[in-house]
Amino acid sequence: MAAEVEMKPENLVYAKPRLITDKTMHYCPGCSHGVVHKLVAEVIDEMGLEHDAIGISPVGCAVLAYDYIDIDWVESAHGRATTLATAIKRLRPDKMVFTYQGDGDLAAIGTGETIHAGNRGENITIIFINNAIYGMTGGQMAPTTLVGMKTATTPYGRDTHLNGYPYKIGEVMSLLDGVCYVTRQSVHTPAAVRKAKKAIRKAFENSMAGRGLSLVEIVATCNSGWKLSPVEANRWMEEHMMEFYPLGDLKDTEKK
Amino acid sequence: MIKEEIIIAGFGGQGVLSMGKILAYSGVMQGLEVSWMPSYGPEMRGGTANVTVILSDRPISSPISHDFDTAIILNQQSMDKFEPMVKPGGVLIYDPNGITRTPERQDIQVYSIDATAEAARSGNMRVFNTMILGGYLKVKPILTFDYVIAGLAKSLPERLHKLLPANEAAIRQGMELIRPR
Amino acid sequence: MEEVKLMKGNEVVAEAAVRCGCDGYFGYPITPQSEILETLMQMRPWETTGMVVLQAESEVAAINMVYGGAACGKKVMTSSSSPGISLMCEGLSYLAGAELPCVVVNVSRGGPGLGTIQPSQADYFQAVKGGGHGDYHLIVLAPNSVQEMYDFVFLGFELAFRYLNPVMILSDGVIGQMMEKVVLSAPVARWTDEQIAAQSSSWAVYGKPETRTRNIVTSLELEADRQEKVNLKLIEKYRRVAAEEVRYETSLCEDADYVLVAYGSSARICAKVVEMAREEGHKVGLLRPITLYPFPTKAIRELADRVKGFLSVEMNAGQMVEDVRLAAEHCAPVAHYGRMGGVVHSPSEVYEALKREFINQ
């Protein structure tokens, strides 16, 4: 048996972010949530916001986000995260308040709350995981489910006559005067991860500067719900999701 | 012992609620217990409006009453509804304008006050309700005149205090105008 | 500085909120209580005390804003009327589950459905027996005057923070819309962030300081065993509330043959019924529950041994009467009288019912 090798600091190329807890994550292997959690934790730490960040977790797979990032958290009822964030930010304007929501939470049951928080120009950030499916309840149709996509409640594929069309809430939010920044990112390649992290940082900075609401949409995989291997899921996302949900900034009032 | 339960009823826009407010404020100025309970149903939006005002020198139990010491009636619907709710021996005051059926009860004291016509003649319809109030104060001298003037000032926002002299005059005019049946 | 004013029940809720050092009010307009939000907007407390006032996009949003604000350890409240309270029931369940303090005012109106906008007491079950899902209780206060409408905002916050539980002030259109004299107490300063950190550091969320580990406000448990522990803890709390916070008022019950049981505006009406009955030589008294949860069960049980009957008078089809019956334990007959749908019963109607049910039997 090999002797235990002591890791020299100069050889350390990667470590778990300081604000990620030791709790074992419940996310499926291949899921995007873990990467996005890591980015949120890193940005909070790098911005020195450990003591000033308040997160709102949703109902959905990320309901337990509070178990993994070592900051103060409130767990919201389904879809209402932005109303909690509204009150918290208005009562504690010195704090950095963000919600972390999935497509069902943000764009189905919480559409009204999301749009009105944006319309009021609340100085909060929404991290929006769009994987086009309900993960937690077992793979049902989300508002963002692509046409033809099979889910537990669209077993023959999403039929527009029956189920309507996939919903681009990022684009909808970008129309609102109270929203300062909407961007669509992904975390399926190292380069994408770096860009997503920059976007999250920019959003948090907007919130602290009082510029209005920022929305960072992450086009993500749900390989369990999609019934694909992690690698296949990434490929499928590139081929199908990104065609309908193209990456890039949808709105940035700072960029003139 | 003072215990006066009053219903004021008419069309929305006739100043029914504000007349009640003046009475209530006057009662407070005089050191009485008061309650002011408006109708706030759909009738508020263009139909009939009414308010129950209770003045008492003891704590008021029910702010709701169906047996009034005094009814001030300003339209026919209210006449039909509230004439039967005046206590025997109580007072009913009405403005004959728009009344098609005059009060029929013989066990109550009925007074009429031609305030609509008088206010129209004077060219200031806005003092119509204080004129009626004057008539009431003449018949039921529970509230003293000075407290009523103080209550009037309290019930009006300050930007409308320029209207106080006209209203005071209208109260005096109403006192002259009221007639027994 | 104390002041005596002539004000509407709704208006004094706004005054009370500002004067008790409330940090935030979140509401949505609905008749017959819109004056609460309107008065607050007129008062602009954000320029004086720093209180936040926000018109939400719905009652659902308003109660969840309350949830967020309460999670920060702040004094927050909302108000609505029956249909709006129905929309808030989800949030109330979450607030109770997460053990968050807040005050919710219901100026109730006729139902079910859109119902009417006139006064009603048909939300007793909703307020006292749940409304939302799960085993929980609100502490429910029933004001019967404009003064109590004012006082109970203060009392409500006191109880909410003592027990970390939502408090409902169950009022109705009569109390909300009527004007009476009210004594407005001297304003109390809002809590500073330091005070909040000192008194609520074990649970409130305001950005994890270096002095403590992170707080998580949640009503979620994944394991049934752990959720049951939460339930047991809540039940233990409700027992303490029931032991220590029952409030009621009796009048002329000492020699009474018949006792009217009524709360809120109905109790005012019944006070007059007692006067009318006593004038005619009938020994009638009034028991007025001030807390509807916890309910004055013991007081009713004691009376049940010596009275000939209880008449539960409520502007509904008979809701509190069930609790009166349970309390009386069949030691005295219990009947119900009440008009519905926004019709307010008159003292003489109630008196007639009392004669019909008991006195003339």
Side-chain angles (χ1 to χ4, degrees):
Chain A
M1 201 174 119
E4 211 168 291
V5 180
E6 196 189 328
M7 172 80 81
K8 290 181 187 150
E10 61 267 31
N11 292 335
L12 186 70
V13 291
Y14 181 80
K16 179 167 73 77
R18 198 175 63 84
L19 291 180
I20 290 286
T21 65
D22 291 330
K23 182 110 180 172
T24 308
M25 281 194 182
H26 71 287
Y27 299 116
C28 308
C31 170
S32 311
H33 274 303
V35 181
V36 182
H37 280 24
K38 183 193 80 152
L39 296 183
V40 169
E42 282 177 356
V43 173
I44 288 172
D45 198 15
E46 287 163 20
M47 287 177 73
L49 292 172
E50 177 186 356
H51 305 303
D52 293 306
I54 301 174
I56 324 291
S57 67
V59 171
C61 281
V63 66
L64 292 175
Y66 56 72
D67 271 344
Y68 310 127
I69 303 177
D70 187 18
I71 55 167
D72 272 4
W73 282 93
V74 189
E75 202 290 305
S76 164
H78 200 18
R80 319 297 177 218
T82 53
T83 63
L84 272 64
T86 293
I88 294 171
K89 182 66 180 181
R90 284 182 181 240
L91 289 161
R92 292 304 301 255
D94 53 328
K95 301 296 168 186
M96 199 285 287
V97 183
F98 70 97
T99 70
Y100 188 108
Q101 301 175 261
D103 38 52
D105 196 79
L106 180 103
I109 195 167
T111 304
E113 285 79 2
T114 304
I115 286 179
H116 284 282
N119 201 44
R120 284 190 304 264
E122 302 294 346
N123 294 311
I124 59 172
T125 293
I126 301 172
I127 308 287
F128 165 36
I129 308 298
N130 177 6
N131 57 14
I133 205 158
Y134 282 62
M136 192 202 216
T137 46
Q140 297 85 1
M141 181 187 71
T144 48
T145 295
L146 299 179
V147 175
M149 199 172 155
K150 284 183 181 171
T151 71
T153 51
T154 55
Y156 308 105
R158 182 173 188 157
D159 173 353
T160 57
H161 294 291
L162 190 61
N163 308 112
Y165 299 86
Y167 176 34
K168 293 177 175 172
I169 196 164
E171 277 81 346
V172 172
M173 290 292 280
S174 68
L175 295 172
L176 303 174
D177 290 342
V179 174
C180 64
Y181 179 50
V182 181
T183 187
R184 191 180 284 126
Q185 302 290 332
S186 73
V187 291
H188 67 303
T189 66
V193 169
R194 276 195 293 276
K195 279 180 78 178
K197 183 173 172 181
K198 273 194 194 134
I200 292 169
R201 176 156 188 143
K202 186 180 179 118
F204 286 177
E205 283 169 355
N206 284 339
S207 297
M208 290 309 279
R211 295 192 184 109
L213 187 140
S214 297
L215 174 71
V216 180
E217 175 175 343
I218 309 283
V219 177
T221 58
C222 176
N223 45 284
S224 296
W226 294 357
K227 309 207 184 313
L228 297 172
S229 73
V231 174
E232 287 167 348
N234 272 344
R235 197 177 305 131
W236 194 88
M237 175 174 75
E238 280 189 309
E239 283 169 14
H240 298 91
M241 292 285 283
M242 287 177 189
E243 187 188 355
F244 191 77
Y245 299 111
L247 304 188
D249 287 353
L250 295 167
K251 182 179 193 177
D252 185 357
T253 53
E254 285 297 288
K255 207 184 276 174
K256 290 284 179 270
Chain B
M1 195 188 102
I2 299 171
K3 179 78 187 283
E4 170 79 349
E5 299 189 351
I6 311 155
I7 179 90
I8 310 170
F11 288 117
Q14 279 181 312
V16 164
L17 300 187
S18 47
M19 203 191 314
K21 240 178 220 181
I22 299 167
L23 280 173
Y25 273 107
S26 307
V28 172
M29 302 313 283
Q30 197 167 316
L32 297 174
E33 296 300 324
V34 306
S35 71
W36 176 93
M37 178 66 217
S39 62
Y40 63 88
E43 63 266 40
M44 281 287 287
R45 282 123 183 134
T48 60
N50 71 69
V51 61
T52 302
V53 176
I54 303 180
L55 306 168
S56 176
D57 53 5
R58 292 187 307 172
I60 294 163
S61 51
S62 174
I64 305 292
S65 180
H66 286 194
D67 307 280
F68 298 102
D69 299 291
T70 301
I72 299 173
I73 305 292
L74 304 177
N75 67 8
Q76 187 56 50
Q77 291 98 310
S78 302
M79 181 70 81
D80 297 339
K81 183 166 180 192
F82 294 110
E83 185 188 358
M85 294 194 194
V86 179
K87 280 181 190 165
V91 167
L92 187 154
I93 297 168
Y94 73 101
D95 184 321
N97 178 55
I99 296 292
T100 52
R101 181 191 62 76
T102 53
E104 287 154 5
R105 280 178 64 180
Q106 296 300 318
D107 62 338
I108 57 174
Q109 308 167 54
V110 176
Y111 296 85
S112 73
I113 176 164
D114 220 350
T116 309
E118 187 57 34
R121 247 195 308 280
S122 74
N124 185 6
M125 278 312 288
R126 293 166 79 181
V127 298
F128 156 79
N129 61 342
T130 37
M131 213 176 271
I132 302 266
L133 181 68
Y136 165 76
L137 295 171
K138 172 81 175 193
V139 173
K140 283 269 177 123
I142 294 168
L143 297 166
T144 56
F145 192 80
D146 290 348
Y147 288 125
V148 173
I149 298 306
L152 182 65
K154 273 269 174 195
S155 73
L156 283 178
E158 256 175 49
R159 62 189 164 82
L160 296 178
H161 276 192
K162 57 179 188 287
L163 304 174
L164 287 174
N167 279 285
E168 187 177 333
I171 291 174
R172 290 185 194 280
Q173 212 177 348
M175 288 175 145
E176 301 301 320
L177 215 53
I178 192 155
R179 298 279 177 273
R181 169 159 55 183
Chain C
M1 192 187 53
E2 215 175 83
E3 285 177 79
V4 181
K5 288 208 167 173
L6 182 66
M7 292 180 79
K8 276 190 170 193
N10 287 338
E11 292 165 351
V12 300
V13 171
E15 277 284 350
V18 177
R19 284 172 183 253
C20 80
C22 179
D23 296 300
Y25 170 94
F26 306 91
Y28 185 80
I30 180 171
T31 309
Q33 63 80 56
S34 299
E35 290 99 338
I36 299 176
L37 176 59
E38 290 168 8
T39 306
L40 280 166
M41 287 298 187
Q42 193 84 37
M43 291 171 80
R44 288 187 289 189
W46 51 90
E47 289 180 0
T48 51
T49 71
M51 177 184 173
V52 169
V53 185
L54 187 61
Q55 178 168 338
E57 67 269 29
S58 68
E59 289 90 348
V60 172
I63 194 68
N64 283 286
M65 288 174 184
V66 165
Y67 184 93
C72 302
K74 299 275 186 178
K75 272 186 179 175
V76 288
M77 64 182 293
T78 184
S79 65
S80 189
S81 181
S82 311
I85 297 289
S86 290
L87 285 172
M88 290 185 181
C89 281
E90 177 202 42
L92 286 169
S93 170
Y94 278 70
L95 281 151
E99 292 198 84
L100 291 177
C102 68
V103 171
V104 177
V105 181
N106 180 0
V107 183
S108 61
R109 62 187 236 186
L114 205 45
T116 55
I117 61 174
Q118 287 89 348
S120 164
Q121 296 180 314
D123 299 349
Y124 178 91
F125 282 154
Q126 185 193 52
V128 170
K129 312 280 179 187
H133 60 283
D135 270 324
Y136 78 92
H137 282 290
L138 307 175
I139 297 172
V140 184
L141 303 171
N144 79 336
S145 64
V146 172
Q147 184 68 54
E148 282 193 350
M149 196 81 158
Y150 178 84
D151 295 341
F152 286 3
V153 175
F154 288 73
L155 175 62
F157 276 118
E158 197 183 306
L159 295 173
F161 276 86
R162 187 180 304 157
Y163 294 99
L164 297 184
N165 204 70
V167 170
M168 175 170 283
I169 298 176
L170 182 60
S171 178
D172 62 62
V174 173
I175 307 291
Q177 289 294 325
M178 75 187 286
M179 285 204 300
E180 286 187 305
K181 278 201 274 191
V182 58
V183 180
L184 304 177
S185 49
V188 178
R190 285 175 54 228
W191 290 329
T192 61
D193 290 338
E194 291 70 33
Q195 271 173 295
I196 291 171
Q199 68 198 17
S200 304
S201 64
S202 64
W203 57 271
V205 158
Y206 41 83
K208 177 194 73 176
E210 285 174 46
T211 49
R212 65 159 168 82
T213 54
R214 71 218 177 94
N215 282 335
I216 297 164
V217 172
T218 179
S219 60
L220 172 72
E221 292 293 343
L222 294 182
E223 307 291 335
D225 288 352
R226 288 179 61 175
Q227 179 60 41
E228 191 184 40
K229 286 201 177 74
V230 172
N231 291 127
L232 290 168
K233 184 176 166 226
L234 289 178
I235 287 166
E236 177 49 36
K237 174 167 81 176
Y238 302 143
R239 279 206 190 99
R240 266 190 298 130
V241 171
E244 289 162 31
E245 305 299 344
V246 173
R247 285 167 170 78
Y248 64 95
E249 199 176 69
T250 55
S251 106
L252 301 176
C253 285
E254 297 73 20
D255 66 340
D257 290 328
Y258 308 104
V259 167
L260 303 171
V261 185
Y263 66 92
S265 55
S266 225
R268 293 285 292 271
I269 292 160
C270 286
K272 186 160 176 185
V273 178
V274 171
E275 290 166 17
M276 293 160 80
R278 290 270 168 179
E279 266 169 37
E280 294 187 0
H282 301 297
K283 290 179 181 170
V284 175
L286 170 65
L287 186 144
R288 170 171 84 95
I290 294 170
T291 50
L292 298 178
Y293 187 89
F295 193 69
T297 306
K298 199 163 148 249
I300 290 172
R301 178 65 188 84
E302 281 165 12
L303 280 173
D305 283 334
R306 48 194 174 86
V307 302
K308 294 181 193 161
F310 292 100
L311 185 66
S312 184
V313 183
E314 327 156 46
M315 296 187 287
N316 59 39
Q319 299 189 14
M320 180 177 70
V321 65
E322 294 187 2
D323 287 335
V324 179
R325 239 175 232 137
L326 283 170
E329 292 183 336
H330 294 286
C331 294
V334 179
H336 165 263
Y337 179 75
R339 299 292 299 269
M340 290 166 283
V343 179
V344 180
H345 35 242
S346 70
S348 35
E349 282 175 312
V350 177
Y351 190 28
E352 284 310 310
L354 180 67
K355 286 182 187 165
R356 198 168 56 240
E357 293 287 346
F358 292 115
I359 296 175
N360 295 344
Q361 284 293 311

